[in-house]
Amino acid sequence: MMRTDRLARLLAGLGTACLLAFATVAAHADAGALRAKYEEVKPQLQSNSYGRQLFIDSSQASNSLQGDIYAVLDHPYEKVKDALQDPNAWCDIMLLPFNTKACHAGGGRLAVRIGRKYDQPVDQAYRLDLGFQRAASGADYLETRLSAGQGPFGTRDYRIAAEAIPLDGGHTFMHLSYAYGYGGTGKFAMQAYLATAGANKAGFTSGGMRGAIERNAMRYYLAIDAYLDTMDVPAAQRVDRRIDKWFSATERYPRQLHEMDRETYVTMKRQEYGRQQTASVQ
């Protein structure tokens, strides 16, 4: 019996070692793929109309949408890794876009409240439960994934993924992917939005539903950048600086991202960040 137990422990240990080795090999492969992508899009990163090292792409299938942001961040890799692998940091990031009303991290997930309108009361906003996974965390590659089976407004298979590699000179190359699927209800809701509130908005590379997902991906990217920019600010000033930076960044692209005046946005977000400090999402 003891010999059998030792054999079982040995096999379990070998299995764990094999899994770790496989994960390491996979992370190196992903790092290599992302570095190859950086070389591929470097001309677009360095010459574009965005005013920053940024490349935007999107795609649409029969029942899904995906927006991709590729960007050089003016922050060292270790700082980016610390932020993007912290679920509490993700809550602070996700609260910056105008329609996120609340976020609470705990138990390997983010519970997020997303409003149909920017001024919708938090208890009436849609609750989105996102699973949080640190898919890779190494010296040369990180990946974080957030996912939910059901999303707001008839969407499903909701996915946000951020991966990054270090660059020379204290910079980081990041790929942010934002995607979801939809059925008939979700498609109808999106078409209704595009015919009303979204009628006068443009995408960054495309229009229609692809333009809408590009705008959402861009909002999250600008939120990540604003969070990174304010990590070293004194704690008492951090939230106000973060709010101001995100709004200023979005106003550089008014045809795509303008939603309201600065005073309205700042007042609303101060209240929402304040509420987040004292209560969890119900």
Side-chain angles (χ1 to χ4, degrees):
M1 177 66 69
M2 291 185 63
R3 183 176 299 173
T4 302
D5 289 345
R6 285 198 296 270
L7 179 60
R9 289 196 296 270
L10 176 61
L11 290 173
L14 288 172
T16 301
C18 289
L19 287 173
L20 290 173
F22 178 79
T24 300
V25 170
H28 281 305
D30 289 337
L34 189 56
R35 193 162 296 279
K37 187 67 178 182
Y38 169 67
E39 295 298 332
E40 176 189 334
V41 301
K42 187 184 289 186
Q44 292 95 323
L45 293 170
Q46 296 175 346
S47 178
N48 58 61
S49 60
Y50 303 126
R52 56 175 71 208
Q53 294 195 65
L54 180 71
F55 174 66
I56 302 175
D57 194 14
S58 63
S59 60
Q60 180 176 5
S62 60
N63 60 355
S64 64
L65 287 163
Q66 180 167 325
D68 293 282
I69 304 287
Y70 299 91
V72 174
L73 303 172
D74 294 329
H75 300 281
Y77 173 76
E78 287 299 323
K79 182 178 182 180
V80 175
K81 183 169 73 170
D82 288 346
L84 295 187
Q85 303 223 309
D86 178 0
N88 291 301
W90 271 98
C91 263
D92 285 337
I93 288 165
M94 296 194 74
L95 197 57
L96 284 168
F98 70 96
N99 63 336
T100 307
K101 312 311 296 178
C103 181
H104 175 70
R109 65 179 178 85
L110 303 184
V112 185
R113 290 279 188 174
I114 298 179
R116 187 177 293 272
K117 298 180 179 180
Y118 78 88
D119 56 352
Q120 187 171 15
V122 65
D123 60 342
Q124 297 177 20
Y126 182 93
R127 174 166 170 158
L128 177 66
D129 288 311
L130 288 162
F132 184 90
Q133 180 187 8
R134 299 179 183 92
S137 178
D140 63 350
Y141 178 75
L142 74 89
E143 182 180 7
T144 299
R145 299 172 186 167
L146 294 86
S147 60
Q150 297 297 318
F153 320 131
T155 57
R156 63 191 183 212
D157 299 329
Y158 197 92
R159 303 179 307 281
I160 299 173
E163 56 178 347
I165 54 172
L167 298 177
D168 294 337
H171 296 86
T172 302
F173 179 58
M174 181 186 73
H175 170 215
L176 176 69
S177 174
Y178 174 91
Y180 58 79
Y182 55 87
T185 301
K187 186 173 184 179
F188 177 80
M190 179 60 72
Q191 289 174 338
Y193 163 76
L194 293 172
T196 54
N200 296 321
K201 293 188 179 299
F204 288 93
T205 72
S206 184
M209 296 175 72
R210 281 181 58 189
I213 202 163
E214 289 175 358
R215 293 193 292 273
N216 281 334
M218 186 67 156
R219 290 184 182 107
Y220 284 127
Y221 155 68
L222 294 175
I224 290 172
D225 201 45
Y227 182 89
L228 293 168
D229 280 346
T230 55
M231 285 178 70
D232 300 325
V233 171
Q237 304 171 24
R238 203 168 292 158
V239 168
D240 281 347
R241 290 280 293 276
R242 192 174 296 152
I243 290 169
D244 181 71
K245 279 184 172 291
W246 187 86
F247 186 85
S248 296
T250 62
E251 287 296 286
R252 295 182 66 176
Y253 316 102
R255 292 186 62 239
Q256 293 89 359
L257 301 182
H258 179 77
E259 296 290 341
M260 64 194 71
D261 62 82
R262 182 183 295 270
E263 182 178 357
T264 300
Y265 173 78
V266 169
T267 300
M268 176 180 68
K269 286 301 164 183
R270 282 176 175 170
Q271 293 173 349
E272 290 167 357
Y273 271 100
R275 183 171 59 236
Q276 180 166 297
Q277 300 306 313
T278 58
S280 63
V281 176
Q282 299 300 318

